Amino acid sequence: VSALGDALASGFNVFAGHTLVGAAPAAVEATVLGWLRDLVGFPQSASGILLSGGSAAGIVALHTARVVALGRAGHDTALTVYATSDAHSSIAKGLRLLGFADEQRRMVTVDLGRCMQPDALRALIDADLAAGRRPLAVVATAGTTSTGAVDPLPALRDIGDRYRLWLHVDGAYGAAAVLVPDARAAVAGLHLWPTHSLSTRTSGGSNRTRSGVCLYAMAGA
Ligand SMILES: Cc1ncc(COP(=O)(O)O)c(C=O)c1O
C-alpha cells in the first residue's frame, strides 16, 4: 500500500503544503491523523503532521516541546533532554539540528532488558535541577531499533507529571503494535502523558517508500 501511495504521490506531484491550495491532500492528512489519534488513544484535540519518516517526526516532536516551553523563537542552553543509549541516532542528530549542544542531552541508564530505568531518570533530573538546569523532555522509545525494548511508559509518565516534562515516545518501530490485539499490551501507555508526542513511521519494505507521523497533545486540551 505504501509503495502504491508513493507512486501516486510522485506521479500526481500534488502540493500538500497548505489547505488553501491543497485541500484534497490536506483532507487525506487530517483523516489519516484522526485514524492514528483514535488508535493510540490520543485526545480528540491532538494535532499532528505527516512527514517523510521517523527521523523528521522526532525532530518535529522535540521542536514542539521546546515551542510549548519557550515560544517559537526560544532557546535556552539550560534545557536538558533525557533518553537512553538505545534511543535511535536520529534523536541526537535532531537535537543538534535544533541547536542543542551535546551537553544538553542526558543518557539515562538502562536495565537488563535495555529499558530506561525510572530511578536513574529521576536521579538525573534531580541533579540537573540542583545544578540550575531546565529539564525539558524525556524521549522514551516504544520498540528500540536494536532490541525492540519498550521503555516503561506508565512509570515515566509519573515522573513527567511530577517534574512537568514533555514526553516524546519514539514509536517508529513499535507503535504499530497497537494494530495487533495480542501485541497491544506491549506498548501500553502510548497516550498517557499530559503533554506529549508520538512519532511513528511506515515502510513499504524498503526505506524508499517510508513515511512518518508526529502526533502531539497538550495538557488540559
Ligand atoms: C526507533 C526508531 N526511531 C527512528 C527511526 C528513524 O526513522 P526513519 O528512518 O524513517 O527516519 C527508526 C528507523 O529505523 C527507528 O527504528
Side-chain angles (χ1 to χ4, degrees):
V1 171
S2 87
L4 186 60
D6 192 57
L8 287 172
S10 303
F12 285 105
N13 193 25
V14 283
F15 177 77
H18 198 285
T19 320
L20 279 179
V21 284
V28 170
E29 181 174 35
T31 304
V32 171
L33 290 170
W35 289 338
L36 188 68
R37 179 198 63 213
D38 294 345
L39 267 171
V40 297
F42 266 47
Q44 292 293 308
S45 56
S47 303
I49 185 168
L50 299 186
L51 295 144
S52 59
S55 307
I59 293 173
V60 168
L62 290 165
H63 171 66
T64 306
R66 186 173 59 182
V67 167
V68 168
L70 297 182
R72 271 179 198 266
H75 187 61
D76 181 346
T77 53
L79 291 177
T80 313
V81 176
Y82 303 82
T84 71
S85 56
D86 290 18
H88 192 261
S89 56
S90 59
I91 298 298
K93 289 181 194 165
L95 284 169
R96 283 187 202 123
L97 277 173
L98 291 170
F100 286 75
D102 287 351
E103 299 74 53
Q104 291 178 261
R105 193 163 36 87
R106 296 276 174 272
M107 199 88 91
V108 188
T109 314
V110 291
D111 61 19
L112 287 176
R114 304 220 58 85
C115 299
M116 189 183 290
Q117 283 190 335
D119 287 347
L121 172 63
R122 209 177 287 115
L124 281 174
I125 296 171
D126 283 339
D128 281 334
L129 286 171
R133 302 201 60 79
R134 194 169 174 181
L136 172 71
V138 178
V139 179
T141 308
T144 57
T145 322
S146 48
T147 67
V150 179
D151 287 329
L153 304 177
L156 300 182
R157 181 237 163 104
D158 292 342
I159 297 175
D161 273 352
R162 171 153 172 229
Y163 294 97
R164 308 194 74 75
L165 302 182
W166 183 280
L167 176 71
H168 173 58
V169 180
D170 178 355
Y173 186 38
V178 294
L179 297 168
V180 184
D182 288 347
R184 198 172 290 154
V187 291
L190 285 179
H191 64 289
L192 285 177
W193 215 257
T195 46
H196 63 310
S197 46
L198 167 70
S199 59
T200 185
R201 82 200 273 264
T202 61
S203 171
S206 85
N207 277 340
R208 289 201 57 237
T209 56
R210 74 177 183 273
S211 62
V213 183
C214 177
L215 277 180
Y216 36 88
M218 313 298 164

